[in-house]
Amino acid sequence: MDWDRGHYEDTASELQPAAELVVQRAGIEQGHEVLDLGTGTGNAALLAAQAGARVTAMDPSPRLLEVARERVGEGEFVVGKAEDLPFDDQSFDRVLSIFAVIFSEQPELAAKEILRVTRGKALITAWEPVGPVNDVLAMLGRATSEATQRPHRRFDWGDPDNVKGLFGDVGVERAYINFEAPSAEAFLQRFETRHPVGMVFREVLTSNGNYDEVRERALHALGDERPLRATSSYFLFTVESRAAG
């Protein structure tokens, strides 16, 4: 996935409440070393810095990392992925990942790396697979997988048991985010033209000749409420470092 594409800033602003919750639950103290893994536009990194942390922000997108650098100011800004963290063991008091590591294609390796560099605790958010927005993304994802003839086998971070299988015992909290748009049509139009994932879905299915049909089903799943207000639930997983124990 090329996260440099589109204008992910739109979605990042909608996810701000999750960053606020994670940083609050993290209990960041003055001088803490904090890694914002998959920082995007720097939501969590900025809040952690404001709480007194020394921040390292990491993302696979050079463009988004520059957006984060401009917002956060001081700190380390590193292009990279969760599966290969260029940091020493037990480097960070807190590792935060706001809907980011869930895109890893090697979740077991990503989890191992997170545990390796954490000396305090890691906090990770993942969508619970319920609600209209989830239904739309799942519908488009399945259709795209069928079009490319690639199995739709992404690791299910929305199942707490799966996450416990990666990290051992984890704390689990459920929270909610509201997505708003003038209509379902406006919501989907923004997703397909500005979000990197939505752009891929549209391109693949348009090439396959069935985007209009899948899109119509997606609009139906979102409903005809005007303005559209869809609530999505997510899990906040808290992982205690084995070194801390």
Side-chain angles (χ1 to χ4, degrees):
M1 183 63 61
D2 183 2
W3 292 95
D4 278 346
R5 299 184 65 195
H7 199 266
Y8 182 74
E9 289 90 329
D10 293 343
T11 298
S13 66
E14 292 178 313
L15 302 181
Q16 178 70 21
E20 293 171 358
L21 177 64
V22 167
V23 172
Q24 179 188 51
R25 295 291 190 267
I28 293 170
E29 299 176 2
Q30 187 75 30
H32 267 176
E33 296 285 349
V34 173
L35 171 63
D36 184 10
L37 182 57
T39 190
T41 61
N43 285 347
L46 178 59
L47 293 169
Q50 291 171 345
R54 291 192 291 266
V55 171
T56 300
M58 187 172 185
D59 201 272
S61 165
R63 186 185 74 79
L64 290 179
L65 200 64
E66 282 305 308
V67 174
R69 187 195 304 271
E70 291 176 5
R71 292 182 68 203
V72 179
E74 291 187 10
E76 298 293 327
F77 299 86
V78 182
V79 175
K81 296 184 178 182
E83 300 86 356
D84 185 19
L85 299 178
F87 311 113
D88 292 337
D89 294 357
Q90 301 177 33
S91 292
F92 300 101
D93 298 289
R94 301 289 185 268
V95 174
L96 317 177
S97 185
I98 316 296
F99 305 112
V101 73
I102 61 173
F103 286 96
S104 172
E105 296 180 358
Q106 298 174 284
E108 293 84 1
L109 182 55
K112 183 179 179 180
E113 281 289 87
I114 289 171
L115 288 171
R116 181 182 65 78
V117 303
T118 304
R119 62 173 175 251
K121 57 186 175 181
L123 296 92
I124 298 165
T125 61
W127 297 111
E128 185 175 14
V130 296
V133 173
N134 171 80
D135 293 345
V136 166
L137 295 178
M139 188 183 305
L140 291 165
R142 283 193 300 270
T144 300
S145 293
E146 292 169 2
T148 57
Q149 297 183 340
R150 294 178 181 174
H152 190 59
R153 294 179 182 169
R154 272 188 58 192
F155 182 83
D156 184 5
W157 288 87
D159 183 339
D161 287 338
N162 286 347
V163 178
K164 290 176 182 178
L166 291 178
F167 293 101
D169 190 32
V170 299
V172 182
E173 178 179 353
R174 180 183 281 110
Y176 302 87
I177 284 182
N178 294 319
F179 294 99
E180 298 181 355
S183 65
E185 172 63 35
F187 179 89
L188 199 54
Q189 186 176 64
R190 187 181 66 179
F191 179 65
E192 68 192 4
T193 60
R194 296 173 74 83
H195 194 292
V197 175
M199 294 169 72
V200 170
F201 288 163
R202 184 184 63 169
E203 290 165 358
V204 170
L205 294 176
T206 297
S207 178
N208 196 54
N210 65 331
Y211 184 60
D212 289 345
E213 181 268 325
V214 178
R215 189 181 193 277
E216 189 62 32
R217 287 193 283 121
L219 284 173
H220 180 75
L222 287 171
D224 55 8
E225 179 184 10
R226 289 175 177 266
L228 172 69
R229 190 172 189 270
T231 299
S232 292
S233 57
Y234 66 94
F235 292 116
L236 169 54
F237 299 111
T238 301
V239 182
E240 296 289 344
S241 169
R242 293 166 185 169

